[in-house]
Amino acid sequence: MTKSILITGCSTGIGYYCAKALHDGGFRVVASVRNPQHLARFEALGIPCIILDLADDASIKQGFDEAVALCDGKLDALFNNGAYGQPGAVEDLPTDVLRAQFETNLFGWHTLTCLAVAHMRAHGGDSRIIQNSSVLGLVALPYRGAYNASKFALEGLTDTLRMELSGSNVQISLIEPGPIASEFRRNARVAFEQHIEIANSAHKTEYEAQLTRLNAQSAPQKFTLGPEAVYDKLLHALTAKRAKPRYYVTFPTYLMGYLKRLLSSAWLDKVLLKNR
């Protein structure tokens, strides 16, 4: 039977590519966007698309109900993807700006995930939830505190949910990309300039260098891959008999994941030896 999936954050980049690729591969895809101006491109592709604003609980609930209706009452999978990055030093982050980062990157995902889990439990069948995290959910970088915090929280919440769903019909996975070609840098620049007081900051020099990098659209980061690299992991998480808990994408994520496991093992060995 054809599997149905709701994907958030489909306006550009990873969400758009994965929605189209899954549709072409025979999945019953419902895409979601925040901006109504982006609906038309999906109509041309024959992919149902709904409005779903992850910073608005009412929009999330209405969008979820619409997605279920478009799938004839049964949704098999959810790919939480819609997010943005808010640059800025922690000391320069207004609390409201940090709160807004969490509304879109974590709280909205939580609301949607809980709706999906309840629906999937009630309808049975092989169900999947995939969270698109980040290498910055594994390691922290300066001037990325808001995004780091949202992804670290997502990692912990998802790992806990996976344990709590053990034995149920719902499998949950994390995809952890590093640099992927998308509109992420452009959107981060907009958020940076809109919410951070650059001129009077102690970090002004570094901010100016960051803006130069963010404006260098023709010079992608080293190790950048296309969105198809994320799609490959998503497809496995959706179709494998037993989905992996985590999927690394790009060299930096594999490296940081390995170092994190290595350091954790070394710390554990030290504790065990101390308490022998």
Side-chain angles (χ1 to χ4, degrees), residues 18-36:
C18 290
K20 185 176 182 302
L22 286 175
H23 172 75
D24 292 344
F27 279 77
R28 191 171 192 176
V29 175
V30 178
S32 82
V33 296
R34 185 176 58 85
N35 189 338

Side-chain angles (χ1 to χ4, degrees), residues 138-139 255-271:
L138 301 175
V139 295
L255 176 62
M256 294 304 176
Y258 170 76
L259 291 175
K260 186 174 182 179
R261 290 196 304 273
L262 186 66
L263 292 172
S264 296
S265 297
W267 175 84
L268 182 59
D269 289 343
K270 185 177 181 180
V271 171

Side-chain angles (χ1 to χ4, degrees), residues 60-83:
I60 293 170
K61 292 171 183 175
Q62 180 178 334
F64 182 79
D65 288 343
E66 290 177 5
V68 170
L70 286 166
C71 297
D72 295 329
K74 187 175 186 298
L75 187 68
D76 299 305
L78 167 66
F79 181 34
N80 273 316
N81 169 70

Side-chain angles (χ1 to χ4, degrees), residues 138-262:
L138 301 175
V139 295
L141 287 181
Y143 306 110
R144 297 294 183 270
Y147 188 73
N148 270 135
S150 71
K151 292 300 185 181
F152 268 62
L154 175 67
E155 296 270 333
L157 202 63
T158 301
D159 283 342
T160 304
L161 180 59
R162 184 185 303 107
M163 290 186 280
E164 294 167 350
L165 290 173
S166 177
S168 77
N169 63 306
V170 185
Q171 297 187 51
I172 186 162
S173 300
L174 285 155
I175 296 179
E176 289 156 334
I180 298 291
S182 70
E183 295 293 312
F184 191 86
R185 290 171 70 191
R186 183 184 68 80
N187 294 336
R189 186 188 72 241
V190 172
F192 191 13
E193 294 176 327
Q194 183 176 357
H195 297 300
I196 301 300
E197 182 61 50
I198 296 173
N200 299 318
S201 172
H203 303 274
K204 179 183 176 182
T205 300
E206 175 56 32
Y207 284 167
E208 290 172 344
Q210 286 193 46
L211 283 172
T212 298
R213 290 193 294 271
L214 288 170
N215 285 325
Q217 296 293 336
S218 61
Q221 289 178 266
K222 194 175 182 181
F223 305 117
T224 296
L225 298 179
E228 66 277 1
V230 176
Y231 172 72
D232 289 343
K233 306 297 185 180
L234 174 62
L235 188 60
H236 187 277
L238 289 170
T239 59
K241 183 176 181 180
R242 179 56 56 186
K244 296 179 181 180
R246 278 178 167 75
Y247 293 88
Y248 295 158
V249 186
T250 73
F251 173 76
T253 313
Y254 277 100
L255 176 62
M256 294 304 176
Y258 170 76
L259 291 175
K260 186 174 182 179
R261 290 196 304 273
L262 186 66

Side-chain angles (χ1 to χ4, degrees), residues 91-107:
E91 65 184 289
D92 291 336
L93 280 172
T95 302
D96 285 347
V97 172
L98 182 60
R99 187 176 291 115
Q101 179 81 108
F102 270 72
E103 285 291 346
T104 295
N105 287 20
L106 183 72
F107 300 146

